[in-house]
Amino acid sequence: MARLNWGMIGGGEGSQIGPAHRLGAGLDGEFAFVAGALDHRPEAGRDYGRRLGLDPDRSYGNWREMLEGEAGRADRVDLVTVATPNATHFEITREFLKAGFHVLCEKPMTMTVEEGEEIVALARETGRICAVNYGYTGYSLVRHMKAMVARGDLGRIRLVVAEFAHGHHADAADADNPRVRWRYDPAQAGVSAQFADCGIHALHMASFVTGQEVERLSADTVSCIESRALEDDAMVNFRMSGGTVGRLWTSSVAIGRQHGLTLQVFGEKGGLRWAQEQPNQLYWMPLGQRLQVIERGEAGLSPEADRTTRVTIGHAEGMPLAFANIYKDLAEAIRARKEGREMDPAADLYPRAEDGLRSMAAVFAVAASGKADGTWVDARPPMFR
């Protein structure tokens, strides 16, 4: 089976996220890395692309050059990944969708709700895939959690508790560190810092696993380091479309926490707990029974979990493999469209533009609620109300 052609914008040399995408896209042999505009410095991007094995004529100086070059090729890329600074996501994603490309955009998909609604409408109009990289939903046991909830193992879901708290921005002496400072600068980050950076991962995870959307929320936001214009800690209460109560804590000043993404789901008949730092174990407590530890790769898991397990039980799988599962989903979606067939339902789990839009609406809702001392606000984008 021929590999699909894949291209990347951003993710250049020294990038934090670029290697995870390249590893993820190439892991299963579904995609061939054939084109890229990898750096905002044209010559640096071209040089790095050539060193990664790209043909010189497909190692581009910027995304516009790549759009023009790929649009006219018979072997054009099947999927473009956008991994550039946040404020550029909307324009690049919009233009590639308009030109008929499938797109995987890093989060946040846009900087405003209005931009998000435009992307959703454009993806629907063009019939192109627009996915958003909420990559943690690619973990095998997160998908098993979703399957357990969907098949009713927990009964009606009463409560979901999500966290994404770390302590890597806790040093006030880092106030002038450019790698930290921009995150708390409204001119560069928008209306939110920590919630927009990490909290939306936890919120999306809650929706992904429960199958419910966030409808309204109340937020307490604070800058624990007072020189920051945007929040470095937030506590958010929310209500979901199926009646589930939600609690979310996100922080960048929680010294001692490293990554900190965890999800707990409590239903009428049992509870689940999963932590990204120990992704191979899912803790399951059926009502009135003993605690059970579900291991990734064990027999009898759901098709969604089995499809996304590559190595045998007892061997760790990490973030690049979670990203690889998103790419595996997208490869199946693209191939199904090319072949005119229905895609494998166990693969139909990649986050959509609609998820990116809901996240941006939640970012603005948290910012508004935080400024209004926790007033409950509608968290839905206007087009979904």
Side-chain angles (χ1 to χ4, degrees):
M1 183 169 58
R3 289 188 293 174
L4 299 167
N5 288 332
W6 175 63
M8 187 173 195
I9 303 169
E13 191 164 17
S15 163
Q16 177 183 3
I17 206 70
H21 277 286
R22 288 188 287 274
L23 287 167
L27 189 63
D28 294 303
E30 297 278 9
F31 290 98
F33 181 34
V34 299
L38 303 178
D39 201 293
H40 69 281
R41 300 164 298 172
E43 287 309 314
R46 291 189 186 100
D47 176 66
Y48 189 50
R50 289 191 291 266
R51 284 188 279 125
L52 289 175
L54 296 181
D55 290 340
D57 66 332
R58 299 183 85 173
S59 185
Y60 299 101
N62 59 61
W63 68 266
R64 294 183 185 279
E65 187 180 298
M66 179 172 163
L67 178 60
E68 182 179 356
E70 292 298 308
R73 297 184 67 105
D75 61 346
R76 62 191 268 171
V77 293
D78 295 289
L79 176 69
V80 176
T81 292
V82 179
T84 53
N86 295 354
T88 65
H89 290 177
F90 167 66
E91 183 182 17
I92 298 172
T93 297
R94 180 188 63 190
E95 295 307 309
F96 273 85
L97 287 173
K98 283 182 177 179
F101 292 91
H102 300 302
V103 177
L104 170 60
C105 183
E106 263 299 332
K107 54 67 80 177
M109 183 178 74
T110 62
M111 295 295 286
T112 70
V113 175
E114 292 76 15
E115 289 175 348
E117 292 191 330
E118 184 175 340
I119 292 296
V120 168
L122 183 59
R124 292 175 176 179
E125 176 186 333
T126 61
R128 299 293 89 186
I129 293 168
C130 182
V132 183
N133 190 42
Y134 292 107
Y136 303 113
T137 62
Y139 278 102
S140 178
L141 288 181
V142 171
R143 294 183 169 202
H144 188 60
M145 290 177 81
K146 179 178 179 67
M148 290 180 70
V149 169
R151 69 193 185 194
D153 292 7
L154 284 75
R156 183 179 65 85
I157 304 303
R158 294 168 170 164
L159 174 66
V160 59
V161 180
E163 295 183 359
F164 199 154
H166 65 82
H168 300 301
H169 299 162
D171 189 350
D174 273 340
D176 291 324
N177 180 342
R179 295 178 68 89
V180 175
R181 184 180 61 227
W182 75 269
R183 298 176 183 273
Y184 303 93
D185 178 4
Q188 298 180 72
V191 299
S192 170
Q194 180 59 19
F195 184 81
D197 186 29
C198 295
I200 58 173
H201 275 296
L203 196 70
H204 177 262
M205 188 85 81
S207 288
F208 179 80
V209 169
T210 64
Q212 301 179 38
E213 302 303 335
V214 177
E215 293 190 332
R216 57 195 182 96
L217 60 79
S218 167
D220 179 20
T221 59
V222 64
S223 298
C224 293
I225 295 179
E226 295 177 357
S227 62
R228 290 173 174 164
L230 297 175
E231 88 287 347
D232 50 26
D233 188 277
M235 184 67 76
V236 182
N237 294 311
F238 57 94
R239 300 292 184 268
M240 307 188 81
S241 54
T244 294
V245 173
R247 316 289 190 201
L248 185 152
W249 172 49
T250 186
S251 182
S252 64
V253 295
I255 297 173
R257 296 286 292 261
Q258 294 301 321
H259 187 269
L261 177 60
T262 64
L263 186 70
Q264 299 177 83
V265 182
F266 304 101
E268 296 171 314
K269 299 191 293 186
L272 291 167
R273 176 168 59 87
W274 180 86
Q276 192 267 345
E277 292 177 54
Q278 292 84 37
N280 277 5
Q281 288 80 39
L282 173 62
Y283 294 88
W284 163 230
M285 184 74 178
L287 180 67
Q289 300 182 39
R290 292 175 179 244
L291 178 67
Q292 301 175 23
V293 181
I294 298 172
E295 293 279 351
R296 183 209 49 78
E298 69 180 41
L301 297 185
S302 60
E304 293 85 348
D306 290 340
R307 183 181 181 276
T308 51
T309 293
R310 294 175 180 77
V311 297
T312 55
I313 189 170
H315 296 83
E317 289 186 356
M319 187 187 76
L321 276 76
F323 279 32
N325 288 332
I326 302 293
Y327 279 100
K328 191 175 182 180
D329 292 345
L330 289 169
E332 166 64 10
I334 293 169
R335 291 189 191 282
R337 290 179 181 223
K338 284 176 175 281
E339 297 164 12
R341 59 173 174 82
E342 295 295 321
M343 69 179 295
D344 179 354
D348 194 10
L349 297 174
Y350 63 89
R352 266 70 164 179
E354 287 83 354
D355 298 299
L357 169 58
R358 289 188 179 97
S359 291
M360 187 47 55
V363 166
F364 277 83
V366 165
S369 178
K371 289 180 179 178
D373 292 327
T375 297
W376 283 86
V377 299
D378 197 324
R380 298 169 298 173
M383 71 183 300
F384 294 157
R385 293 179 186 175

